[in-house]
PDB file of all heavy atoms in Angstrom:
ATOM      1  N   GLY A   1       9.609  -2.898   6.232  1.00 87.00           N
ATOM      2  CA  GLY A   1      10.775  -3.474   5.613  1.00 87.00           C
ATOM      3  C   GLY A   1      10.937  -3.083   4.161  1.00 87.00           C
ATOM      4  O   GLY A   1       9.980  -2.631   3.499  1.00 87.00           O
ATOM      5  N   PHE A   2      12.156  -3.249   3.645  1.00 89.00           N
ATOM      6  CA  PHE A   2      12.451  -2.882   2.260  1.00 89.00           C
ATOM      7  C   PHE A   2      11.567  -3.652   1.288  1.00 89.00           C
ATOM      8  O   PHE A   2      11.038  -3.084   0.335  1.00 89.00           O
ATOM      9  CB  PHE A   2      13.934  -3.179   1.969  1.00 89.00           C
ATOM     10  CG  PHE A   2      14.300  -2.974   0.510  1.00 89.00           C
ATOM     11  CD1 PHE A   2      14.593  -1.702   0.047  1.00 89.00           C
ATOM     12  CD2 PHE A   2      14.360  -4.050  -0.370  1.00 89.00           C
ATOM     13  CE1 PHE A   2      14.914  -1.505  -1.286  1.00 89.00           C
ATOM     14  CE2 PHE A   2      14.693  -3.837  -1.690  1.00 89.00           C
ATOM     15  CZ  PHE A   2      14.965  -2.570  -2.160  1.00 89.00           C
ATOM     16  N   GLU A   3      11.397  -4.948   1.475  1.00 89.00           N
ATOM     17  CA  GLU A   3      10.628  -5.778   0.558  1.00 89.00           C
ATOM     18  C   GLU A   3       9.141  -5.362   0.584  1.00 89.00           C
ATOM     19  O   GLU A   3       8.480  -5.341  -0.456  1.00 89.00           O
ATOM     20  CB  GLU A   3      10.781  -7.259   0.893  1.00 89.00           C
ATOM     21  CG  GLU A   3      10.087  -8.208  -0.099  1.00 89.00           C
ATOM     22  CD  GLU A   3      10.653  -8.102  -1.504  1.00 89.00           C
ATOM     23  OE1 GLU A   3      11.794  -7.638  -1.673  1.00 89.00           O
ATOM     24  OE2 GLU A   3       9.923  -8.459  -2.453  1.00 89.00           O
ATOM     25  N   THR A   4       8.633  -5.071   1.790  1.00 89.00           N
ATOM     26  CA  THR A   4       7.243  -4.627   1.873  1.00 89.00           C
ATOM     27  C   THR A   4       7.052  -3.325   1.125  1.00 89.00           C
ATOM     28  O   THR A   4       6.087  -3.149   0.359  1.00 89.00           O
ATOM     29  CB  THR A   4       6.858  -4.429   3.349  1.00 89.00           C
ATOM     30  OG1 THR A   4       6.885  -5.683   4.026  1.00 89.00           O
ATOM     31  CG2 THR A   4       5.444  -3.839   3.467  1.00 89.00           C
ATOM     32  N   MET A   5       7.990  -2.366   1.290  1.00 91.00           N
ATOM     33  CA  MET A   5       7.863  -1.087   0.604  1.00 91.00           C
ATOM     34  C   MET A   5       7.989  -1.279  -0.907  1.00 91.00           C
ATOM     35  O   MET A   5       7.283  -0.610  -1.690  1.00 91.00           O
ATOM     36  CB  MET A   5       8.942  -0.104   1.092  1.00 91.00           C
ATOM     37  CG  MET A   5       8.781   1.313   0.534  1.00 91.00           C
ATOM     38  SD  MET A   5       7.175   2.051   0.978  1.00 91.00           S
ATOM     39  CE  MET A   5       7.409   2.295   2.758  1.00 91.00           C
ATOM     40  N   ARG A   6       8.840  -2.205  -1.321  1.00 89.00           N
ATOM     41  CA  ARG A   6       8.966  -2.477  -2.775  1.00 89.00           C
ATOM     42  C   ARG A   6       7.629  -2.969  -3.340  1.00 89.00           C
ATOM     43  O   ARG A   6       7.215  -2.551  -4.413  1.00 89.00           O
ATOM     44  CB  ARG A   6      10.064  -3.500  -3.032  1.00 89.00           C
ATOM     45  CG  ARG A   6      10.386  -3.712  -4.508  1.00 89.00           C
ATOM     46  CD  ARG A   6      11.173  -4.993  -4.722  1.00 89.00           C
ATOM     47  NE  ARG A   6      10.399  -6.177  -4.482  1.00 89.00           N
ATOM     48  CZ  ARG A   6       9.517  -6.683  -5.351  1.00 89.00           C
ATOM     49  NH1 ARG A   6       9.301  -6.112  -6.493  1.00 89.00           N
ATOM     50  NH2 ARG A   6       8.837  -7.788  -5.012  1.00 89.00           N
ATOM     51  N   LYS A   7       6.948  -3.854  -2.601  1.00 89.00           N
ATOM     52  CA  LYS A   7       5.663  -4.365  -3.044  1.00 89.00           C
ATOM     53  C   LYS A   7       4.610  -3.257  -3.076  1.00 89.00           C
ATOM     54  O   LYS A   7       3.787  -3.209  -3.985  1.00 89.00           O
ATOM     55  CB  LYS A   7       5.206  -5.501  -2.139  1.00 89.00           C
ATOM     56  CG  LYS A   7       5.984  -6.791  -2.279  1.00 89.00           C
ATOM     57  CD  LYS A   7       5.452  -7.877  -1.363  1.00 89.00           C
ATOM     58  CE  LYS A   7       6.218  -9.185  -1.527  1.00 89.00           C
ATOM     59  NZ  LYS A   7       5.672 -10.228  -0.615  1.00 89.00           N
ATOM     60  N   LEU A   8       4.655  -2.400  -2.068  1.00 91.00           N
ATOM     61  CA  LEU A   8       3.696  -1.299  -2.053  1.00 91.00           C
ATOM     62  C   LEU A   8       3.883  -0.372  -3.247  1.00 91.00           C
ATOM     63  O   LEU A   8       2.939   0.131  -3.843  1.00 91.00           O
ATOM     64  CB  LEU A   8       3.813  -0.505  -0.741  1.00 91.00           C
ATOM     65  CG  LEU A   8       3.454  -1.243   0.540  1.00 91.00           C
ATOM     66  CD1 LEU A   8       3.627  -0.353   1.766  1.00 91.00           C
ATOM     67  CD2 LEU A   8       2.045  -1.801   0.482  1.00 91.00           C
ATOM     68  N   GLN A   9       5.157  -0.136  -3.584  1.00 90.00           N
ATOM     69  CA  GLN A   9       5.432   0.751  -4.712  1.00 90.00           C
ATOM     70  C   GLN A   9       5.150   0.085  -6.052  1.00 90.00           C
ATOM     71  O   GLN A   9       4.993   0.765  -7.077  1.00 90.00           O
ATOM     72  CB  GLN A   9       6.888   1.237  -4.640  1.00 90.00           C
ATOM     73  CG  GLN A   9       7.109   2.236  -3.501  1.00 90.00           C
ATOM     74  CD  GLN A   9       8.512   2.770  -3.500  1.00 90.00           C
ATOM     75  OE1 GLN A   9       9.516   2.039  -3.454  1.00 90.00           O
ATOM     76  NE2 GLN A   9       8.648   4.113  -3.535  1.00 90.00           N
ATOM     77  N   ALA A  10       5.121  -1.258  -6.077  1.00 86.00           N
ATOM     78  CA  ALA A  10       4.818  -1.960  -7.324  1.00 86.00           C
ATOM     79  C   ALA A  10       3.332  -2.144  -7.565  1.00 86.00           C
ATOM     80  O   ALA A  10       2.927  -2.429  -8.686  1.00 86.00           O
ATOM     81  CB  ALA A  10       5.497  -3.339  -7.286  1.00 86.00           C
ATOM     82  N   HIS A  11       2.534  -1.956  -6.516  1.00 86.00           N
ATOM     83  CA  HIS A  11       1.098  -2.164  -6.636  1.00 86.00           C
ATOM     84  C   HIS A  11       0.456  -1.004  -7.403  1.00 86.00           C
ATOM     85  O   HIS A  11       0.866   0.153  -7.191  1.00 86.00           O
ATOM     86  CB  HIS A  11       0.495  -2.267  -5.253  1.00 86.00           C
ATOM     87  CG  HIS A  11      -0.980  -2.502  -5.261  1.00 86.00           C
ATOM     88  ND1 HIS A  11      -1.575  -3.561  -5.888  1.00 86.00           N
ATOM     89  CD2 HIS A  11      -2.015  -1.804  -4.685  1.00 86.00           C
ATOM     90  CE1 HIS A  11      -2.879  -3.524  -5.716  1.00 86.00           C
ATOM     91  NE2 HIS A  11      -3.177  -2.480  -4.994  1.00 86.00           N
ATOM     92  N   PRO A  12      -0.495  -1.233  -8.296  1.00 84.00           N
ATOM     93  CA  PRO A  12      -1.092  -0.150  -9.081  1.00 84.00           C
ATOM     94  C   PRO A  12      -2.034   0.776  -8.326  1.00 84.00           C
ATOM     95  O   PRO A  12      -2.368   1.849  -8.784  1.00 84.00           O
ATOM     96  CB  PRO A  12      -1.847  -0.890 -10.203  1.00 84.00           C
ATOM     97  CG  PRO A  12      -2.141  -2.224  -9.631  1.00 84.00           C
ATOM     98  CD  PRO A  12      -0.956  -2.565  -8.746  1.00 84.00           C
ATOM     99  N   TRP A  13      -2.501   0.370  -7.126  1.00 88.00           N
ATOM    100  CA  TRP A  13      -3.373   1.214  -6.280  1.00 88.00           C
ATOM    101  C   TRP A  13      -4.535   1.835  -7.047  1.00 88.00           C
ATOM    102  O   TRP A  13      -4.603   3.065  -7.178  1.00 88.00           O
ATOM    103  CB  TRP A  13      -2.570   2.303  -5.575  1.00 88.00           C
ATOM    104  CG  TRP A  13      -1.512   1.750  -4.640  1.00 88.00           C
ATOM    105  CD1 TRP A  13      -0.153   1.780  -4.832  1.00 88.00           C
ATOM    106  CD2 TRP A  13      -1.737   1.090  -3.395  1.00 88.00           C
ATOM    107  NE1 TRP A  13       0.458   1.166  -3.776  1.00 88.00           N
ATOM    108  CE2 TRP A  13      -0.473   0.733  -2.872  1.00 88.00           C
ATOM    109  CE3 TRP A  13      -2.868   0.748  -2.647  1.00 88.00           C
ATOM    110  CZ2 TRP A  13      -0.296   0.051  -1.679  1.00 88.00           C
ATOM    111  CZ3 TRP A  13      -2.715   0.072  -1.460  1.00 88.00           C
ATOM    112  CH2 TRP A  13      -1.449  -0.269  -0.990  1.00 88.00           C
ATOM    113  N   PRO A  14      -5.474   1.041  -7.527  1.00 84.00           N
ATOM    114  CA  PRO A  14      -6.608   1.617  -8.243  1.00 84.00           C
ATOM    115  C   PRO A  14      -7.425   2.570  -7.398  1.00 84.00           C
ATOM    116  O   PRO A  14      -8.094   3.460  -7.942  1.00 84.00           O
ATOM    117  CB  PRO A  14      -7.422   0.398  -8.685  1.00 84.00           C
ATOM    118  CG  PRO A  14      -6.966  -0.721  -7.769  1.00 84.00           C
ATOM    119  CD  PRO A  14      -5.535  -0.418  -7.470  1.00 84.00           C
ATOM    120  N   GLY A  15      -7.390   2.394  -6.072  1.00 87.00           N
ATOM    121  CA  GLY A  15      -8.109   3.312  -5.182  1.00 87.00           C
ATOM    122  C   GLY A  15      -7.250   4.463  -4.705  1.00 87.00           C
ATOM    123  O   GLY A  15      -7.688   5.276  -3.892  1.00 87.00           O
ATOM    124  N   ASN A  16      -6.009   4.533  -5.202  1.00 92.00           N
ATOM    125  CA  ASN A  16      -5.101   5.647  -4.993  1.00 92.00           C
ATOM    126  C   ASN A  16      -4.809   5.878  -3.505  1.00 92.00           C
ATOM    127  O   ASN A  16      -4.697   4.893  -2.772  1.00 92.00           O
ATOM    128  CB  ASN A  16      -5.630   6.915  -5.651  1.00 92.00           C
ATOM    129  CG  ASN A  16      -5.574   6.801  -7.164  1.00 92.00           C
ATOM    130  OD1 ASN A  16      -4.493   6.756  -7.737  1.00 92.00           O
ATOM    131  ND2 ASN A  16      -6.715   6.718  -7.815  1.00 92.00           N
ATOM    132  N   VAL A  17      -4.623   7.136  -3.074  1.00 94.00           N
ATOM    133  CA  VAL A  17      -4.168   7.405  -1.705  1.00 94.00           C
ATOM    134  C   VAL A  17      -5.177   6.886  -0.695  1.00 94.00           C
ATOM    135  O   VAL A  17      -4.785   6.414   0.386  1.00 94.00           O
ATOM    136  CB  VAL A  17      -3.936   8.932  -1.514  1.00 94.00           C
ATOM    137  CG1 VAL A  17      -3.501   9.217  -0.097  1.00 94.00           C
ATOM    138  CG2 VAL A  17      -2.883   9.411  -2.517  1.00 94.00           C
ATOM    139  N   ARG A  18      -6.442   6.964  -1.011  1.00 91.00           N
ATOM    140  CA  ARG A  18      -7.467   6.476  -0.069  1.00 91.00           C
ATOM    141  C   ARG A  18      -7.276   4.973   0.186  1.00 91.00           C
ATOM    142  O   ARG A  18      -7.388   4.499   1.313  1.00 91.00           O
ATOM    143  CB  ARG A  18      -8.863   6.765  -0.606  1.00 91.00           C
ATOM    144  CG  ARG A  18      -9.985   6.409   0.392  1.00 91.00           C
ATOM    145  CD  ARG A  18     -11.354   6.623  -0.182  1.00 91.00           C
ATOM    146  NE  ARG A  18     -11.606   8.034  -0.434  1.00 91.00           N
ATOM    147  CZ  ARG A  18     -12.018   8.544  -1.593  1.00 91.00           C
ATOM    148  NH1 ARG A  18     -12.134   7.759  -2.649  1.00 91.00           N
ATOM    149  NH2 ARG A  18     -12.251   9.826  -1.690  1.00 91.00           N
ATOM    150  N   GLU A  19      -6.990   4.224  -0.868  1.00 89.00           N
ATOM    151  CA  GLU A  19      -6.787   2.784  -0.721  1.00 89.00           C
ATOM    152  C   GLU A  19      -5.528   2.504   0.086  1.00 89.00           C
ATOM    153  O   GLU A  19      -5.491   1.585   0.919  1.00 89.00           O
ATOM    154  CB  GLU A  19      -6.697   2.111  -2.087  1.00 89.00           C
ATOM    155  CG  GLU A  19      -6.558   0.609  -1.986  1.00 89.00           C
ATOM    156  CD  GLU A  19      -6.433  -0.075  -3.346  1.00 89.00           C
ATOM    157  OE1 GLU A  19      -6.503   0.613  -4.382  1.00 89.00           O
ATOM    158  OE2 GLU A  19      -6.240  -1.311  -3.365  1.00 89.00           O
ATOM    159  N   LEU A  20      -4.461   3.287  -0.147  1.00 92.00           N
ATOM    160  CA  LEU A  20      -3.221   3.118   0.605  1.00 92.00           C
ATOM    161  C   LEU A  20      -3.477   3.371   2.100  1.00 92.00           C
ATOM    162  O   LEU A  20      -2.977   2.616   2.961  1.00 92.00           O
ATOM    163  CB  LEU A  20      -2.143   4.067   0.092  1.00 92.00           C
ATOM    164  CG  LEU A  20      -0.823   4.050   0.856  1.00 92.00           C
ATOM    165  CD1 LEU A  20      -0.139   2.686   0.777  1.00 92.00           C
ATOM    166  CD2 LEU A  20       0.116   5.135   0.286  1.00 92.00           C
ATOM    167  N   LYS A  21      -4.229   4.387   2.437  1.00 91.00           N
ATOM    168  CA  LYS A  21      -4.530   4.663   3.839  1.00 91.00           C
ATOM    169  C   LYS A  21      -5.321   3.510   4.483  1.00 91.00           C
ATOM    170  O   LYS A  21      -5.023   3.073   5.599  1.00 91.00           O
ATOM    171  CB  LYS A  21      -5.342   5.952   3.998  1.00 91.00           C
ATOM    172  CG  LYS A  21      -5.633   6.315   5.443  1.00 91.00           C
ATOM    173  CD  LYS A  21      -6.439   7.583   5.560  1.00 91.00           C
ATOM    174  CE  LYS A  21      -6.573   8.002   7.027  1.00 91.00           C
ATOM    175  NZ  LYS A  21      -7.108   6.951   7.912  1.00 91.00           N
ATOM    176  N   ASN A  22      -6.305   2.977   3.734  1.00 88.00           N
ATOM    177  CA  ASN A  22      -7.069   1.853   4.262  1.00 88.00           C
ATOM    178  C   ASN A  22      -6.158   0.640   4.489  1.00 88.00           C
ATOM    179  O   ASN A  22      -6.296  -0.090   5.488  1.00 88.00           O
ATOM    180  CB  ASN A  22      -8.181   1.468   3.291  1.00 88.00           C
ATOM    181  CG  ASN A  22      -9.277   2.523   3.244  1.00 88.00           C
ATOM    182  OD1 ASN A  22      -9.354   3.386   4.113  1.00 88.00           O
ATOM    183  ND2 ASN A  22     -10.089   2.492   2.200  1.00 88.00           N
ATOM    184  N   TYR A  23      -5.221   0.414   3.553  1.00 88.00           N
ATOM    185  CA  TYR A  23      -4.280  -0.702   3.724  1.00 88.00           C
ATOM    186  C   TYR A  23      -3.438  -0.498   4.994  1.00 88.00           C
ATOM    187  O   TYR A  23      -3.265  -1.439   5.793  1.00 88.00           O
ATOM    188  CB  TYR A  23      -3.347  -0.812   2.515  1.00 88.00           C
ATOM    189  CG  TYR A  23      -2.061  -1.516   2.858  1.00 88.00           C
ATOM    190  CD1 TYR A  23      -2.036  -2.880   3.080  1.00 88.00           C
ATOM    191  CD2 TYR A  23      -0.882  -0.780   3.037  1.00 88.00           C
ATOM    192  CE1 TYR A  23      -0.846  -3.525   3.427  1.00 88.00           C
ATOM    193  CE2 TYR A  23       0.277  -1.406   3.393  1.00 88.00           C
ATOM    194  CZ  TYR A  23       0.306  -2.791   3.600  1.00 88.00           C
ATOM    195  OH  TYR A  23       1.437  -3.413   3.967  1.00 88.00           O
ATOM    196  N   VAL A  24      -2.885   0.680   5.203  1.00 90.00           N
ATOM    197  CA  VAL A  24      -2.033   0.935   6.376  1.00 90.00           C
ATOM    198  C   VAL A  24      -2.851   0.729   7.658  1.00 90.00           C
ATOM    199  O   VAL A  24      -2.388   0.097   8.604  1.00 90.00           O
ATOM    200  CB  VAL A  24      -1.425   2.348   6.333  1.00 90.00           C
ATOM    201  CG1 VAL A  24      -0.713   2.660   7.642  1.00 90.00           C
ATOM    202  CG2 VAL A  24      -0.456   2.475   5.148  1.00 90.00           C
ATOM    203  N   ASP A  25      -4.077   1.243   7.692  1.00 88.00           N
ATOM    204  CA  ASP A  25      -4.901   1.077   8.890  1.00 88.00           C
ATOM    205  C   ASP A  25      -5.135  -0.395   9.205  1.00 88.00           C
ATOM    206  O   ASP A  25      -5.078  -0.813  10.362  1.00 88.00           O
ATOM    207  CB  ASP A  25      -6.255   1.789   8.700  1.00 88.00           C
ATOM    208  CG  ASP A  25      -6.115   3.316   8.698  1.00 88.00           C
ATOM    209  OD1 ASP A  25      -5.049   3.791   9.143  1.00 88.00           O
ATOM    210  OD2 ASP A  25      -7.028   4.005   8.225  1.00 88.00           O
ATOM    211  N   ARG A  26      -5.389  -1.219   8.172  1.00 85.00           N
ATOM    212  CA  ARG A  26      -5.626  -2.623   8.375  1.00 85.00           C
ATOM    213  C   ARG A  26      -4.327  -3.339   8.784  1.00 85.00           C
ATOM    214  O   ARG A  26      -4.303  -4.165   9.683  1.00 85.00           O
ATOM    215  CB  ARG A  26      -6.196  -3.297   7.113  1.00 85.00           C
ATOM    216  CG  ARG A  26      -7.624  -2.914   6.784  1.00 85.00           C
ATOM    217  CD  ARG A  26      -8.183  -3.822   5.720  1.00 85.00           C
ATOM    218  NE  ARG A  26      -7.345  -3.877   4.519  1.00 85.00           N
ATOM    219  CZ  ARG A  26      -7.462  -3.030   3.524  1.00 85.00           C
ATOM    220  NH1 ARG A  26      -8.363  -2.074   3.555  1.00 85.00           N
ATOM    221  NH2 ARG A  26      -6.702  -3.135   2.448  1.00 85.00           N
ATOM    222  N   ALA A  27      -3.247  -2.999   8.072  1.00 86.00           N
ATOM    223  CA  ALA A  27      -2.001  -3.686   8.316  1.00 86.00           C
ATOM    224  C   ALA A  27      -1.429  -3.396   9.708  1.00 86.00           C
ATOM    225  O   ALA A  27      -0.771  -4.260  10.293  1.00 86.00           O
ATOM    226  CB  ALA A  27      -0.959  -3.277   7.261  1.00 86.00           C
ATOM    227  N   VAL A  28      -1.698  -2.213  10.254  1.00 87.00           N
ATOM    228  CA  VAL A  28      -1.248  -1.896  11.601  1.00 87.00           C
ATOM    229  C   VAL A  28      -1.898  -2.824  12.613  1.00 87.00           C
ATOM    230  O   VAL A  28      -1.280  -3.336  13.540  1.00 87.00           O
ATOM    231  CB  VAL A  28      -1.565  -0.416  11.939  1.00 87.00           C
ATOM    232  CG1 VAL A  28      -1.452  -0.176  13.440  1.00 87.00           C
ATOM    233  CG2 VAL A  28      -0.620   0.500  11.185  1.00 87.00           C
TER     234      VAL A  28
END
């Protein structure tokens, strides 16, 4: 959803792309 993507883009992601991948795997 739009709001979810907005939150993802607002997050600082200290673990960068690796952290984003881990998030997607868990969220699925």
